[in-house]
Amino acid sequence: MNENWTKFIELYLQGELSLEDTAKLKAELDRNSEMRHSLELQKRIHETAKRSGQRQLVKSVQKSYQLQRTLKTSIVSVVVATVIVALGYLAYQAFENKTKDKIESSEALVDGKYKELDKMAELDNLPISYFEHDGNTATFLSRKGILISVPEQTFLLDGKSYDGKAIIQFQEALDASDIIKAGLSTTSGDQLLETQGMFQLKAFTPDGKQLTVNDKDGIYLQVPVEENKEGMMLFNGVKTADGQIDWQNPKPIEKLPIRANMLDLDLYPPGYEAKLDELKWSQKKQKRDSLYLSFEDGKSPLNQKFQNSVVGKSTEEKQFEFRSKNFSIYSSQYRNYLKAMSKPVTDISVLFYRGGFRTNEPNVDIKQIDRFNYDFTIGYVIPQQSEAISVLNDSLTAHPTISIKEKNISKRSEIDYLGLTTIHNDVEVTFQYSENLISNGVSLYEITYRIHLFKAIVEPQIIEAKRIDPKIFGKNKNISFTIKSLFEDAMDISNTNFLPPSKVLAIWKKDFNKTILATRDFEKRMKAIHETCNEKVFDVYANQLNKAFWQLDEQVVKMGYANFQAFADERVGALKLDNVHMNSIRQFYESNVSRLKELAKKDKNFQKAIEMAWDSKVRRERNEEVIRSAARVQKVFQDEYNLNLDNVYKQLGKSRTVGVTIYGGGPVYNIDKYVRDATIARKSATITDTETGKTAKITYNPITATVKNAKDYGKLYMYLMPEELSSFQRIDPINGKFDYSLNAAINYKVVFVGINEKGYFISDENSSLIELKSVSEKEFERTLEKISKDRQKSSTKSSDMSRELNWLKLEKQDYKEQKLRQQNAEFRRMMKGIVHPCASEQNPFQ
Amino acid sequence: MQGNKPSLIEKEKELRQLYKKWPEFRKYLKILGCPTQAAEDIFQESLLIYIRKKETPDFILTVDPFYYVRNTGKLLWYNQARKEQKQATFSLESDVEELNDEWFQKELLLKQMESAIESLGKKCQEILQLFYGLGLNMVDVAQKVGLRNDKVAKAQKYRCLNSAKEWVTANETAVGAD
């Protein structure tokens, strides 16, 4: 038989030949009888093949009929054991909210496309659903909510792998009416069962051949039930001789964990992301992770309030010794303190502002030492000396230091170092200090005061002072201090109830993608794990990756968390890892945790170091400013005094000499003294020369000015730019009000200045109510420099102002810095409550 | 009922309904002297003829489908019995006429020709049955029989057709009309 003819004829009969070729073929057919015969034969073959195909259809119906007949009279498995091998059964109450797996609609076949397969269904009087499976892994949802997960290569046709299209026939009876309608029983032998649902599943090729399920993966079903009941099992339905179903071969069932990409899960503490979203914080996961990690130290800062003090006692006392050293005496800005707190200057008082404790003294035992990052100065008012002594070798390392330099003093004192809170760079330190100076066994004074440190600002307040007769000590005497570490127990204020972020972040990596941690089930449990605030609960899951969820849940229940029983009841199973994978995951986890802890610490220390460097700079500048100011005040005073004196002498018509006696109706005074007193007091005075009857006047005119919204400004000054004096004068307000007296003999330019974190404010109004205007930094500088220059009588004026400006700028920057720190501290306090919900805000010492 | 081309699903459905009548059909043929084993084959053939008849243009079924099938079965039994020279009960002259019906004869011939298809390998049978019998396109046919693509399936189909033609040519006396 000519094969070419067969092909051409076939193309011709199928209408696939071109017009040209068709014409050729027809011409050949006309000419060639053999070809015509071949054509006729081929047509008959077509018809025969068609008939043969149709016969197969009849045969399949026949087979089905015969099978039905056989099944009616013999044992039948309703749930076909060879079709379904692996099944899951589970309470599934929140399926729609939890899973993100693709679910295909069960409404795909409303047009009755596969109704010819209806006869194959086993359960009478129950609707039949059909799903089309295209060979790829797919998930379907039945009408009653049963989830059917069909992996690829699930089906076998005649024992061989079948990856073509499959038609899945499904029947379900989940409620009593369906069960009764289908005539299904609920007995197993003579035992009555409680059922939560029955179903039947078969699969066919599109041409009706029945498929079986390969038992490697099986088909997974998830049945929704109203409540989880313990001890539910899967039974096979077997038809008895009388046509009833007996449920046999019970098997325990587990639910498969719902796998997900690790990076798609949310493992943050509940509310963490929502809060950051509310605050419009960066959306980048890296930044959110970084913030989360910054709470690695779950220890709760105590004492958020400036007013609170921490008082505690421990039982341990340590002693260490200082050798007295030379110390210097210099003016201190604490003169006011001296005045305020001391009565007679014979007192010895001790002041603090900032400070630290040296910890390399072996006898000093202060815990949590690395949390100290402040320094302080101990100042002494030496009896019979009017100056405060302020010395400290401050240390700005992680180990705070105390050292005392002393000169011409030696003392023994007992320092009761009470109460310390702190931790982190951004919270307050409060402690109560008491000092008892003892000399040769005699207690000199005892003083207790409470120190509140908030960054660089200290407002020591003496709360109690008992004056004891002071003595001056000699040089180089040994001083013994007793430091009681009074809160050793309380210092362990660390709150152990927290879950370290490093552990959570260590597993939140795609490397854990094939483990039980990369499942929606774990994601769900993480919310509850956070609420336990117990890292041991987290460890149960993270350290046992090969166990079934329900086993781990039960372990957690035994740890005392009864709410995990609900998870255990879900009977979620395991995702098995091979040993090699297990070991590598384990190593990865552990190294990751260490790395993250180190990173958190580094970040924190780095932040601390930056802040400490800034504070140190500000402190130094302030110290210099104090000295500079004092010198300037002294100088300007001297200038004014000289001016007044010259003025008075001029008015009296005398020349400036020493020792002129003026009789003014009172005690005999040197004229200088009159002028000095008047200058100091800034009050007008009239001096009469009784010999000549001439009078001289010194006139001071009081001025007052109030700045609007004075509280808005961190620093507020009235600058007087006197033409006649060598420098400017800076006046401080009291409650936003300036009260001063201007020397009538001097030409002043008055400028009001305010500074806060937002910037600079200035006014040169001549008014009693001043409204400051915001200006740029450049304009601020320009204004003050110009005024100063205009008023320049000496070259020192502009350099004084220049230095003043630098200092003001620094103060402004510091306001901003402190504001940011404050905001950050508030932010962190807020987030802390979310990240570590069990951290206590209560002061354990109160 | 108008002669038309029902879908595969409809055919299957109807066949299922008709198959339920098998006991009745068997009983009927038994009366005509047909043993049960033979009756099964005849029943299958009758159903096949019925669904094929329904596809012919201008066919109008005026009786109940099962009656047509039963009648067809009767004719087939008569034909078989005649061939085997068995005693059969001829009820009416009309039966003889029906036996000699052109279409019926053609069907009998085609039945014989089915041997040509059965002589082919399983793959050839499948290709030809799927394409001509169920009306699948070559892409689907290729997928079903496990061939790489439709082109390969077509080439195979040509070979199968050629083999079938050769068989028929070689066995022409066997498939000739009797």
Side-chain angles (χ1 to χ4, degrees):
Chain A
M1 191 62 54
N2 193 326
E3 210 170 311
N4 278 336
W5 282 6
T6 304
K7 183 181 172 182
F8 270 101
I9 290 168
E10 185 65 19
L11 288 169
Y12 167 67
L13 290 173
Q14 298 303 326
E16 292 173 15
L17 213 55
S18 66
L19 285 172
E20 190 186 353
D21 285 340
T22 301
K24 279 184 189 171
L25 183 71
K26 278 184 177 172
E28 185 65 22
L29 284 168
D30 285 341
R31 196 177 60 78
N32 192 332
S33 61
E34 203 179 336
M35 200 179 202
R36 279 198 303 276
H37 175 73
S38 187
L39 171 69
E40 290 309 317
L41 181 57
Q42 201 152 323
K43 282 180 179 178
R44 274 194 289 158
I45 297 288
H46 283 185
E47 198 61 35
T48 307
K50 183 178 176 183
R51 196 173 203 273
S52 179
Q54 289 166 325
R55 183 183 293 285
Q56 302 310 311
L57 178 64
V58 175
K59 274 185 174 174
S60 74
V61 173
Q62 181 185 30
K63 273 186 191 165
S64 165
Y65 171 76
Q66 282 169 348
L67 179 65
Q68 263 191 322
R69 282 191 64 195
T70 309
L71 290 176
K72 276 181 181 170
T73 54
S74 63
I75 290 168
V76 133
S77 205
V78 175
V79 173
V80 181
T82 54
V83 171
I84 297 164
V85 175
L87 296 172
Y89 170 85
L90 158 69
Y92 179 70
Q93 290 172 355
F95 172 72
E96 296 85 356
N97 295 333
K98 299 290 181 195
T99 186
K100 288 185 185 161
D101 290 345
K102 186 183 166 199
I103 295 174
E104 295 188 13
S105 168
S106 61
E107 302 303 319
L109 301 162
V110 292
D111 60 353
K113 200 171 163 184
Y114 296 105
K115 285 207 173 158
E116 72 275 11
L117 296 174
D118 282 1
K119 291 296 165 277
M120 306 297 285
E122 297 295 342
L123 302 177
D124 297 330
N125 301 319
L126 276 183
I128 306 168
S129 300
Y130 291 95
F131 305 101
E132 290 181 343
H133 182 251
D134 63 1
N136 297 315
T137 297
T139 314
F140 307 96
L141 186 66
S142 75
R143 287 190 176 93
K144 301 243 174 175
I146 294 181
L147 181 73
I148 307 161
S149 174
V150 184
E152 57 189 9
Q153 296 184 338
T154 275
F155 295 114
L156 302 172
L157 176 62
D158 299 329
K160 288 182 193 157
S161 178
Y162 174 82
D163 52 9
K165 185 175 170 180
I167 313 303
I168 297 172
Q169 183 190 69
F170 190 75
Q171 287 181 291
E172 56 194 339
L174 293 191
D175 46 48
S177 61
D178 286 342
I179 292 172
I180 291 166
K181 225 190 301 179
L184 294 164
S185 80
T186 54
T187 52
S188 175
D190 54 5
Q191 238 186 333
L192 195 62
L193 299 174
E194 182 184 349
T195 180
Q196 288 192 291
M198 305 175 188
F199 50 85
Q200 182 252 211
L201 186 149
K202 282 185 178 176
F204 303 92
T205 61
D207 58 353
K209 290 183 185 160
Q210 190 154 349
L211 300 165
T212 55
V213 172
N214 98 57
D215 45 9
K216 185 169 151 258
D217 291 313
I219 293 177
Y220 174 77
L221 278 86
Q222 191 166 289
V223 180
V225 297
E226 284 178 6
E227 60 172 305
N228 280 320
K229 294 197 178 189
E230 264 195 68
M232 295 308 280
M233 295 190 144
L234 182 72
F235 288 77
N236 262 1
V238 173
K239 251 191 185 167
T240 57
D242 59 0
Q244 291 298 307
I245 303 275
D246 186 45
W247 298 98
Q248 299 175 2
N249 302 322
K251 288 175 203 155
I253 42 182
E254 273 184 0
K255 177 190 171 194
L256 281 177
I258 302 168
R259 290 173 70 168
N261 191 322
M262 204 63 186
L263 302 178
D264 291 338
L265 300 179
D266 176 11
L267 304 182
Y268 288 126
Y272 178 79
E273 291 232 86
K275 193 68 190 174
L276 292 179
D277 290 343
E278 189 191 305
L279 297 171
K280 294 189 177 24
W281 220 75
S282 172
Q283 291 286 333
K284 291 185 180 169
K285 186 168 187 309
Q286 201 180 355
K287 289 205 165 175
R288 292 193 172 199
D289 281 356
S290 191
L291 175 66
Y292 182 41
L293 185 63
S294 73
F295 291 97
E296 176 66 8
D297 183 347
K299 295 173 174 64
S300 170
L302 295 176
N303 203 340
Q304 303 297 321
K305 295 185 181 151
F306 192 76
Q307 288 74 28
N308 289 345
S309 65
V310 175
V311 178
K313 287 191 178 183
S314 82
T315 55
E316 196 169 349
E317 290 184 20
K318 303 286 181 189
Q319 288 202 354
F320 72 101
E321 291 193 350
F322 274 122
R323 287 195 178 276
S324 65
K325 296 172 189 175
N326 292 334
F327 65 93
S328 58
I329 299 171
Y330 62 87
S331 297
S332 157
Q333 69 270 33
Y334 296 103
R335 188 189 295 273
N336 288 333
Y337 284 112
L338 297 176
K339 283 183 181 172
M341 74 177 186
S342 67
K343 297 341 189 300
V345 295
T346 52
D347 286 344
I348 295 175
S349 302
V350 176
L351 301 170
F352 278 106
Y353 86 96
R354 306 184 218 128
F357 291 98
R358 181 176 299 178
T359 60
N360 55 1
E361 295 289 344
N363 291 330
V364 176
D365 181 15
I366 296 176
K367 286 193 179 175
Q368 309 292 337
I369 200 66
D370 61 344
R371 307 203 189 282
F372 290 48
N373 60 341
Y374 58 91
D375 60 86
F376 60 88
T377 299
I378 299 176
Y380 298 92
V381 176
I382 307 302
Q384 319 246 303
Q385 293 183 42
S386 60
E387 304 290 324
I389 298 138
S390 176
V391 284
L392 180 68
N393 210 6
D394 60 88
S395 167
L396 298 173
T397 64
H399 300 288
T401 318
I402 179 173
S403 68
I404 299 172
K405 292 179 183 177
E406 298 175 53
K407 186 176 177 183
N408 298 326
I409 268 194
S410 64
K411 65 171 188 172
R412 271 177 61 189
S413 74
E414 188 176 305
I415 303 173
D416 280 346
Y417 178 76
L418 303 179
L420 175 76
T421 66
T422 218
I423 310 266
H424 312 295
N425 202 20
D426 56 351
V427 289
E428 302 160 23
V429 175
T430 305
F431 60 93
Q432 185 165 301
Y433 177 91
S434 67
E435 182 167 300
N436 186 353
L437 263 69
I438 297 167
S439 174
N440 298 325
V442 176
S443 175
L444 295 181
Y445 79 86
E446 193 178 309
I447 186 164
T448 302
Y449 42 91
R450 193 163 287 160
I451 308 296
H452 308 279
L453 303 182
F454 183 66
K455 305 206 176 76
I457 302 164
V458 170
E459 297 289 340
Q461 293 172 340
I462 295 176
I463 57 171
E464 187 185 324
K466 183 178 174 183
R467 201 160 315 133
I468 303 168
D469 290 332
K471 273 189 182 176
I472 296 177
F473 299 92
K475 200 171 161 179
N476 292 324
K477 292 284 173 68
N478 286 338
I479 295 174
S480 161
F481 286 91
T482 300
I483 293 182
K484 286 183 186 177
S485 172
L486 286 176
F487 42 85
E488 277 182 55
D489 294 332
M491 270 304 283
D492 188 15
I493 56 174
S494 61
N495 192 327
T496 54
N497 292 338
F498 83 107
L499 173 55
S502 59
K503 284 198 166 182
V504 177
L505 293 172
I507 56 111
W508 202 347
K509 302 245 179 268
K510 60 178 169 37
D511 305 79
F512 284 84
N513 260 346
K514 289 187 180 171
T515 69
I516 55 164
L517 305 181
T519 59
R520 293 290 170 191
D521 305 279
F522 180 69
E523 185 185 44
K524 202 165 62 170
R525 281 155 178 76
M526 258 317 278
K527 310 246 176 274
I529 292 169
H530 275 296
E531 283 161 11
T532 65
C533 306
N534 188 346
E535 66 178 295
K536 290 186 170 53
V537 172
F538 179 83
D539 289 345
V540 166
Y541 295 93
N543 294 343
Q544 301 181 88
L545 297 179
N546 257 348
K547 285 204 172 165
F549 264 116
W550 63 266
Q551 290 174 307
L552 303 175
D553 298 332
E554 282 180 355
Q555 279 182 38
V556 175
V557 169
K558 284 182 185 153
M559 287 166 72
Y561 299 97
N563 56 316
F564 276 71
Q565 187 57 51
F567 291 129
D569 289 344
E570 287 178 5
R571 299 296 288 186
V572 181
L575 288 177
K576 294 285 181 190
L577 289 175
D578 58 61
N579 283 337
V580 171
H581 193 192
M582 224 13 231
N583 289 339
S584 69
I585 279 279
R586 181 98 220 120
Q587 281 168 18
F588 177 80
Y589 172 57
E590 276 159 12
S591 70
N592 229 17
V593 172
S594 319
R595 183 183 66 81
L596 286 167
K597 279 191 191 299
E598 202 49 48
L599 189 66
K601 200 173 164 184
K602 251 189 199 168
D603 280 347
K604 203 167 71 171
N605 288 344
F606 180 67
Q607 271 306 115
K608 238 198 260 182
I610 290 178
E611 287 186 9
M612 281 165 61
W614 172 259
D615 290 345
S616 170
K617 179 185 173 180
V618 171
R619 199 168 28 251
R620 271 196 303 276
E621 292 289 335
R622 282 181 181 162
N623 286 346
E624 282 174 17
E625 198 281 325
V626 163
I627 295 166
R628 203 168 49 233
S629 280
R632 186 185 64 247
V633 163
Q634 184 62 32
K635 193 163 186 317
V636 166
F637 170 77
Q638 196 60 39
D639 288 345
E640 193 171 355
Y641 164 70
N642 286 333
L643 183 94
N644 284 343
L645 197 62
D646 285 344
N647 202 7
V648 162
Y649 273 115
K650 199 176 171 183
Q651 289 177 60
L652 294 179
K654 290 184 187 291
S655 59
R656 256 178 90 162
T657 54
V658 178
V660 173
T661 304
I662 301 290
Y663 296 93
V668 174
Y669 290 110
N670 185 298
I671 194 172
D672 291 13
K673 179 76 169 53
Y674 262 125
V675 173
R676 184 179 288 277
D677 287 350
T679 309
I680 290 173
R682 301 196 74 81
K683 281 187 173 164
S684 298
T686 306
I687 301 154
T688 310
D689 186 350
T690 51
E691 279 185 9
T692 59
K694 281 188 178 172
T695 59
K697 267 194 176 175
I698 301 171
T699 309
Y700 279 95
N701 299 316
I703 60 160
T704 58
T706 305
V707 171
K708 258 189 188 177
N709 305 319
K711 284 180 184 167
D712 291 348
Y713 307 101
K715 286 214 177 326
L716 199 56
Y717 298 120
M718 178 171 74
Y719 282 92
L720 302 175
M721 312 286 191
E723 215 177 282
E724 290 77 4
L725 306 180
S726 62
S727 192
F728 60 86
Q729 286 168 287
R730 187 179 77 207
I731 313 301
D732 297 313
I734 296 173
N735 296 326
K737 193 175 173 191
F738 295 95
D739 276 313
Y740 200 65
S741 296
L742 298 180
N743 192 327
I746 294 174
N747 279 317
Y748 295 97
K749 177 70 182 168
V750 181
V751 177
F752 297 91
V753 156
I755 291 176
N756 63 22
E757 70 276 6
K758 288 179 193 158
Y760 305 92
F761 302 82
I762 206 165
S763 172
D764 58 3
E765 289 173 28
N766 262 333
S767 167
S768 57
L769 183 64
I770 308 294
E771 188 169 356
L772 298 179
K773 287 172 202 158
S774 172
V775 292
S776 67
E777 187 175 295
K778 272 196 176 143
E779 206 178 321
F780 181 77
E781 275 181 42
R782 217 178 10 244
T783 307
L784 287 177
E785 274 175 352
K786 186 175 181 298
I787 294 170
S788 169
K789 207 173 171 185
D790 287 348
R791 305 254 134 205
Q792 194 163 320
K793 259 202 167 170
S794 87
S795 61
T796 59
K797 222 185 252 182
S798 82
S799 59
D800 278 358
M801 181 48 73
S802 175
R803 282 194 286 270
E804 180 78 359
L805 281 168
N806 286 338
W807 170 70
L808 287 172
K809 277 195 266 185
L810 184 80
E811 288 292 338
K812 184 253 172 191
Q813 281 169 26
D814 189 58
Y815 274 121
K816 201 170 174 184
E817 170 69 16
Q818 302 308 327
K819 184 83 180 177
L820 283 172
R821 289 186 196 178
Q822 202 174 6
Q823 284 169 354
N824 189 41
E826 278 164 22
F827 169 69
R828 289 189 67 80
R829 263 195 286 277
M830 182 168 45
M831 293 309 297
K832 185 92 179 191
I834 293 171
V835 171
H836 298 304
C838 305
S840 171
E841 290 283 333
Q842 291 299 315
N843 185 337
F845 294 121
Q846 288 182 332
Chain B
M1 193 181 298
Q2 194 70 28
N4 57 12
K5 198 168 180 182
S7 70
L8 198 61
I9 303 151
E10 286 166 9
K11 280 185 212 169
E12 198 176 346
K13 187 182 176 181
E14 196 171 10
L15 285 169
R16 284 186 191 278
Q17 291 297 331
L18 288 168
Y19 244 105
K20 285 183 179 176
K21 303 275 191 177
W22 154 248
E24 198 177 332
F25 182 94
R26 184 187 57 195
K27 200 172 168 184
Y28 177 74
L29 249 59
K30 195 172 177 183
I31 294 168
L32 298 178
C34 177
T36 303
Q37 185 62 41
E40 273 190 41
D41 293 337
I42 288 169
F43 186 50
Q44 190 189 96
E45 190 64 32
S46 305
L47 290 171
L48 181 58
I49 288 171
Y50 166 67
I51 60 171
R52 283 175 55 76
K53 189 68 179 177
K54 275 183 77 176
E55 287 178 12
T56 57
D58 302 319
F59 172 74
I60 299 169
L61 187 68
T62 54
V63 297
D64 179 76
F66 176 67
Y67 183 83
Y68 183 92
V69 168
R70 194 183 68 174
N71 200 54
T72 305
K74 180 184 75 176
L75 295 176
L76 287 169
W77 166 238
Y78 285 167
N79 191 58
Q80 187 171 326
R82 193 168 60 174
K83 273 190 194 170
E84 290 171 1
Q85 293 171 353
K86 282 187 177 168
Q87 283 290 359
T89 307
F90 288 85
S91 59
L92 292 166
E93 209 173 78
S94 55
D95 295 336
V96 177
E97 272 181 33
E98 279 177 85
L99 263 173
N100 292 329
D101 177 68
E102 189 188 346
W103 188 86
F104 188 76
Q105 287 300 316
K106 186 183 156 199
E107 283 296 301
L108 292 175
L109 190 63
L110 286 173
K111 181 177 185 253
Q112 282 182 326
M113 275 193 73
E114 280 184 55
S115 307
I117 305 298
E118 286 159 13
S119 73
L120 303 172
K122 199 175 168 199
K123 197 162 260 184
C124 269
Q125 285 183 44
E126 227 178 328
I127 289 172
L128 298 179
Q129 284 163 1
L130 290 172
F131 184 76
Y132 297 107
L134 298 186
L136 267 63
N137 60 48
M138 288 314 291
V139 173
D140 289 340
V141 170
Q143 202 181 13
K144 288 283 176 215
V145 301
L147 292 171
R148 202 164 56 245
N149 55 44
D150 60 319
K151 288 183 181 55
V152 170
K154 262 188 192 171
Q156 184 62 40
K157 185 182 82 172
Y158 301 145
R159 284 194 286 274
C160 296
L161 281 169
N162 215 50
S163 300
K165 283 161 82 176
E166 281 172 1
W167 189 93
V168 170
T169 307
N171 294 280
E172 231 165 16
T173 52
V175 296
D178 52 357

